[in-house]
């Protein structure tokens, strides 16, 4: 880097994300942390939320604000919307609307911060950012980081993107097929997770210490129940089933931002002293994952990325139709978890695991092999290549 560039200060990376579910927020924070940790003097990140942020179009923000209640209370309707906008003729209409209403906040952020690169962490933002690249103006280079796992909306794939990062080779091939992305511009890295997940699984001594710090009994079999930042319809049933049906396990339920669910489960905890711990949104989810013997959850890609980084076995009791289709199969195929169909199977699997520590250890090792705790650091290095040495193309 030249002396004049050094005097100009850090190069800016514009991180495009949206407050629709916890996964996009977590991925944005993971990349921000990694860039700051690895390139504190050379690079700086600026986060922009053109869908739900302060500068978002009001109508767009209102629609996107319905995402949480929709996927929690009417997943069938979300499935219809996902598949309808994922196919012609509606997908081109959707992307045209995005260019009209969402590209403006991105263009304003580009003009204000003069970034060297943009990184899109949401399919709707990938399309809008790509529109700037297509205009032939002096738009910054664009990296798309796909935060889905088994399947992905086609709006992720945009031919103007300079680089596409995916969690699996299958999704990388999909990007090449739909957008014509050259193989040398596709990187199979993983879903970025925050710095607290980088150490990986806890050894037995560290796990016991973590449990004591969290108020858990180191000697008990602990089942952690979560369903993402917005929670999910099934979480109430999963927790009640385990507390009422599994006699010799302790349960921790993390309810995210769902206050109604938290209050309901707190009433159950009052009737089940010392067996059920209930919390709302927490910022130390890595500690809870490392402390658990098994995680009961839906097959959200962010949750899977975090759990596998901590080596936590999973019982996947559901998935959101659309972008979460196929996630369970990936986990089961790797030996890191099991699919659950109904209450009886949930109880049976928990009882089987509690009685078979060797099986839990095998699943824990398989989960750790599937995890990519260094993904954010690898993405930060790619961004540095782009912003500092202009090596993307």
């Amino acid at each position: 880097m030249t002396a004049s560039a050094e005097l100009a200060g850090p190069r800016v990376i514009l991180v495009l994300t949206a407050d629709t579910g916890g996964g996009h927020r977590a991925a944005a924070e993971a990349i921000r942390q990694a860039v700051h940790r690895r390139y504190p003097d050379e690079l700086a990140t600026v986060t922009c939320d053109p869908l739900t942020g302060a500068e978002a179009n009001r109508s767009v923000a209102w629609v996107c604000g319905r995402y949480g209640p929709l996927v929690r209370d009417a997943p069938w309707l979300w499935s219809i919307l996902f598949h309808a906008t994922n196919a012609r003729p509606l997908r081109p209409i959707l992307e045209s609307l995005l260019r009209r209403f969402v590209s403006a906040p991105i263009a304003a952020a580009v003009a204000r911060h003069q970034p060297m690169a943009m990184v899109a962490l949401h399919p709707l933002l990938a399309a809008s950012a790509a529109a700037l690249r297509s205009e032939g103006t002096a738009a910054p280079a664009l990296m798309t980081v796909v935060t889905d796992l088994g399947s992905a909306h086609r709006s992720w794939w945009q031919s103007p993107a300079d680089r596409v990062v995916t969690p699996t080779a299958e999704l990388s091939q999909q990007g090449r097929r739909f957008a014509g992305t050259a193989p040398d511009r596709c990187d199979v890295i993983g879903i970025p997770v925050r710095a607290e997940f980088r150490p990986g699984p806890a050894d037995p001594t560290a796990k016991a210490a973590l449990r004591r710090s969290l108020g858990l009994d180191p000697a008990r079999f602990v089942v952690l129940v979560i369903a993402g930042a917005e929670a999910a319809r099934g979480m109430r049933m999963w927790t009640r089933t385990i507390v009422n049906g599994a006699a010799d396990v302790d349960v921790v339920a993390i309810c995210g931002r769902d206050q109604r669910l938290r209050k309901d489960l707190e009433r159950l905890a009052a009737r089940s002293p010392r067996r059920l711990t209930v919390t709302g949104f927490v910022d130390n989810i890595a500690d809870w994952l490392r402390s658990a013997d098994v995680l009961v959850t839906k097959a959200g890609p962010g949750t899977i990325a975090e759990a596998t980084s901590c080596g936590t076995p999973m019982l996947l009791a559901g998935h959101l139709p659309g972008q979460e289709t196929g996630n369970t199969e990936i986990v089961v195929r790797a030996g890191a978890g099991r699919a659950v169909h109904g209450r009886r199977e949930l109880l049976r699997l928990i009882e089987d695991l509690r009685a078979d520590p060797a099986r839990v250890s095998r699943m824990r090792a398989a989960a750790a092999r599937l995890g990519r705790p260094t993904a954010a650091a690898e993405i930060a290095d790619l961004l540095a290549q782009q912003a500092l040495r202009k090596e993307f193309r």
Side-chain angles (χ1 to χ4, degrees):
M1 188 164 55
T2 66
S4 60
E6 292 176 355
L7 292 174
R11 307 291 182 92
V12 173
I13 305 293
L14 186 64
V15 180
L16 303 174
T17 187
D19 196 15
T20 55
H24 302 295
R25 292 190 296 268
E29 176 60 15
I31 291 174
R32 187 201 66 78
Q33 287 180 346
V35 169
H36 178 73
R37 183 176 63 250
R38 298 175 75 81
Y39 303 96
D41 299 320
E42 299 94 339
L43 297 176
T45 60
V46 174
T47 301
C48 175
D49 182 349
L51 296 180
T52 62
E55 296 187 8
N57 175 274
R58 288 187 178 183
S59 298
V60 171
W62 184 89
V63 171
C64 291
R66 309 281 77 75
Y67 174 81
L70 180 63
V71 299
R72 185 171 58 244
D73 300 326
W76 60 270
L77 180 56
W78 169 255
S79 178
I80 293 173
L81 292 172
F82 179 92
H83 291 292
T85 59
N86 201 31
R88 291 185 178 274
L90 289 187
R91 191 177 74 256
I93 295 174
L94 170 67
E95 294 183 359
S96 176
L97 289 172
L98 291 172
R99 285 192 292 271
R100 179 178 179 183
F101 293 110
V102 180
S103 295
I106 299 176
V110 169
R112 184 162 57 248
H113 300 289
Q114 296 294 301
M116 294 296 294
M118 300 182 290
V119 53
L121 295 162
H122 192 289
L124 302 186
L125 299 180
S128 301
L132 294 180
R133 299 284 290 154
S134 300
E135 292 173 358
T137 60
L142 172 63
M143 174 191 286
T144 299
V145 177
V146 179
T147 56
D148 290 321
L149 188 58
S151 59
H153 198 281
R154 292 190 182 184
S155 290
W156 278 113
W157 317 119
Q158 302 293 328
S159 56
D162 297 286
R163 208 165 198 100
V164 177
V165 172
T166 69
T168 66
E170 290 78 10
L171 285 185
S172 183
Q173 292 170 1
Q174 188 180 112
R176 294 198 293 270
R177 185 166 66 251
F178 291 140
T181 307
D184 62 351
R185 291 195 283 137
C186 294
D187 298 273
V188 181
I189 291 178
I191 295 174
V193 294
R194 301 184 302 278
E196 53 263 39
F197 297 95
R198 289 198 70 189
D203 61 37
T205 301
K207 182 177 177 180
L210 269 177
R211 285 192 174 187
R212 283 190 288 268
S213 71
L214 296 170
L216 302 175
D217 187 339
R220 298 278 289 172
F221 189 91
V222 175
V223 180
L224 176 63
V225 186
I226 61 177
E230 306 293 345
R233 171 178 284 185
M235 186 172 167
R236 179 180 286 101
M237 182 268 287
W238 306 335
T239 306
R240 286 182 173 276
T241 296
I242 301 167
V243 171
N244 294 329
D248 199 27
V249 303
D250 290 347
V251 183
V252 177
I254 298 179
C255 302
R257 295 182 173 84
D258 192 333
Q259 293 301 315
R260 289 184 301 172
L261 174 63
R262 180 178 182 178
K263 291 178 181 178
D264 183 41
L265 294 183
E266 284 175 342
R267 288 192 290 269
L268 176 62
R271 301 192 298 271
S272 311
R274 296 186 301 276
R275 287 209 54 216
L276 174 60
T277 300
V278 179
T279 77
F281 184 84
V282 297
D283 57 10
N284 63 336
I285 189 64
D287 290 343
W288 292 100
L289 285 167
R290 291 189 179 98
S291 297
D293 290 296
V294 67
L295 169 66
V296 176
T297 186
K298 73 180 184 72
T303 298
I304 291 172
E306 293 175 352
T308 54
S309 293
C310 295
T312 310
M314 286 165 280
L315 297 180
L316 299 176
H319 70 274
L320 182 65
Q323 71 266 33
E324 292 179 4
T325 301
N327 293 359
T328 298
E329 181 183 350
I330 290 173
V331 172
V332 173
R333 187 169 63 235
R338 293 287 302 273
V340 178
H341 305 97
R343 303 183 187 189
R344 290 184 180 180
E345 187 174 20
L346 176 60
L347 288 176
R348 179 182 62 79
L349 288 170
I350 289 174
E351 293 289 356
D352 289 349
L353 291 173
R354 184 185 64 81
D356 192 351
R359 183 180 178 189
V360 175
S361 295
R362 290 192 298 270
M363 291 175 68
R364 186 178 298 277
R369 288 192 297 270
L370 188 60
R372 296 296 299 269
T374 63
E378 295 178 51
I379 291 169
D381 290 343
L382 286 176
L383 287 168
Q385 290 176 12
Q386 179 177 6
L388 301 178
R389 293 179 287 276
K390 301 181 181 179
E391 294 179 359
F392 259 30
R393 284 189 178 273

